[in-house]
Amino acid sequence: MRFTQLRSFHAVAAAESVTAASQQLNVSQPTLTTQVRALEEEYSVELFIRAGGRMRLTEAGRQLQQITRRLFAEEADARHFLTESRELKTGKLRVGAVGPFHVTEMLVAFHARYPQIEISVSVGNSVEVLESLLDFRSDVAVLAYVENDPRLWVRQYSEDPIVVFGRRDHPLMQAAGGLRIAQLDGQPMVYRERGSNTRRASEAALRAAGVAPQIVMEIGSREAVREAVASGVGLGFVSLAEYIADERLTHRPVGDANIFNHAHVACVRDRDQSRLIAAFMEVAAALSEARGGGAAG
């Protein structure tokens, strides 16, 4: 049994005429007749009673028609689904992110362009987000630090300065303008956990300057670091893009050191041509270019 034979049977059964069915399928009448007869002969069953140019279904033909109605309805549904998917009118995008700051603006822009796509977001640390991406539990990842990995396609999204923040009454927060990195030597500071890109970048700048602050706390969340700093425990580093205004706090740039945090968008390299993933990357690229640009790798 071939699919074309079932299609021929279905068309003839619906039209009750080989002539009408041939016009509908744009297939010659002899071809349709041959395909229907081949189906009957292969299974030794009579599907039509041929009388006066009309093709009336037998009982077996009526039962087969009930099946082919479902079959070709499912085929139409599949074609509709694939067309909708191609035009991004249906589907689900799974996004992994290390924080809400940059991913939120990407998701808002993506939703505005493709409002019918369902979006789910999972938040974790860099290791968790990358594992989820490589295990295909997420489609794209938004994170700060990505090591060179041939399995990944990565685009830099932004470059954001890292600043020092502290209580408004802290002596180093009183002076106008920026700080010098040497002023942080011996200063009590609250650090993010090891693996944080903010910590990685700030520690590299401090080592290069020969500056050693006093680390009084290591905390694994931005919110907890902010609260510890607001309580007067010490100063902290934060990406300017992630700084949340607070009447208790203020921030200052480090004028004589270039300390930056980077946001990247990544996907598995073998999936970068997926229509859904490519659409998200296009949206992210447009936002990145609007803010100054980033490079793909």
Side-chain angles (χ1 to χ4, degrees):
M1 175 181 64
R2 297 179 180 177
F3 190 75
T4 52
Q5 293 172 344
L6 287 178
R7 185 184 296 279
S8 297
F9 162 79
H10 184 71
V12 173
E16 297 183 343
S17 164
V18 173
T19 302
S22 69
Q23 293 172 349
Q24 176 189 335
L25 295 180
N26 195 27
V27 175
S28 70
Q29 294 183 43
T31 298
L32 280 185
T33 299
T34 299
Q35 289 178 346
V36 171
R37 287 195 181 280
L39 192 61
E40 291 178 314
E41 291 171 3
E42 182 176 355
Y43 293 96
S44 300
V45 62
E46 186 180 32
L47 299 173
F48 294 99
I49 298 173
R50 297 154 177 87
R54 298 294 300 276
M55 302 287 284
R56 290 166 39 209
L57 287 167
T58 64
E59 180 58 29
R62 281 192 291 271
Q63 292 182 28
L64 181 59
Q65 186 186 40
Q66 291 177 3
I67 296 171
T68 59
R69 279 174 177 162
R70 296 196 300 270
L71 174 65
F72 290 107
E74 292 289 345
E75 182 196 28
D77 287 346
R79 186 180 297 108
H80 175 72
F81 169 77
L82 291 172
T83 300
E84 294 284 282
S85 296
R86 180 182 62 194
E87 297 175 358
L88 293 184
K89 294 181 180 179
T90 188
K92 181 175 182 177
L93 180 71
R94 302 165 301 169
V95 181
V98 296
F101 299 98
H102 289 305
V103 71
T104 300
E105 61 190 13
M106 296 181 205
L107 296 177
V108 169
F110 184 82
H111 177 71
R113 187 177 298 184
Y114 305 106
Q116 292 168 292
I117 299 297
E118 181 183 351
I119 303 170
S120 66
V121 182
S122 58
V123 178
N125 60 38
S126 295
V127 173
E128 293 168 339
V129 170
L130 280 176
E131 284 181 352
S132 178
L133 185 65
L134 291 170
D135 288 344
F136 300 97
R137 288 179 283 118
S138 60
D139 302 307
V140 295
V142 181
L143 65 172
Y145 180 74
V146 186
E147 294 183 356
N148 289 331
D149 189 325
R151 296 172 295 176
L152 300 177
W153 186 94
V154 181
R155 180 187 179 94
Q156 181 176 306
Y157 178 74
S158 66
E159 181 179 78
D160 304 300
I162 292 174
V163 298
V164 176
F165 75 110
R167 283 175 58 102
R168 289 183 179 274
D169 58 2
H170 191 287
L172 292 184
M173 297 291 105
Q174 300 295 305
L179 303 176
R180 289 177 291 105
I181 196 167
Q183 292 178 277
L184 300 177
D185 195 55
Q187 283 290 331
M189 297 200 73
V190 181
Y191 269 27
R192 286 286 306 278
E193 78 284 4
R194 293 191 181 278
S196 156
N197 196 56
T198 299
R199 177 168 180 167
R200 183 184 293 109
S202 57
E203 284 189 325
L206 291 167
R207 282 196 303 271
V211 173
Q214 178 189 357
I215 303 174
V216 294
M217 280 189 189
E218 292 185 4
I219 305 178
S221 79
R222 298 175 181 84
E223 295 76 13
V225 168
R226 185 175 67 247
E227 289 306 309
V229 171
S231 297
V233 174
L235 299 172
F237 284 106
V238 64
S239 169
L240 190 57
E242 299 174 356
Y243 179 78
I244 298 175
D246 187 314
E247 62 181 10
R248 301 169 296 174
L249 302 170
T250 190
H251 62 83
R252 295 288 183 270
V254 182
D256 57 350
N258 294 319
I259 315 176
F260 293 97
N261 208 348
H262 298 92
H264 298 86
V265 187
C267 70
V268 174
R269 188 173 292 277
D270 290 344
R271 302 190 68 206
D272 62 348
Q273 296 303 310
S274 160
R275 183 70 185 94
L276 194 57
I277 293 173
F280 184 85
M281 293 299 186
E282 289 169 8
V283 169
L287 290 173
S288 176
E289 290 167 5
R291 60 162 58 235

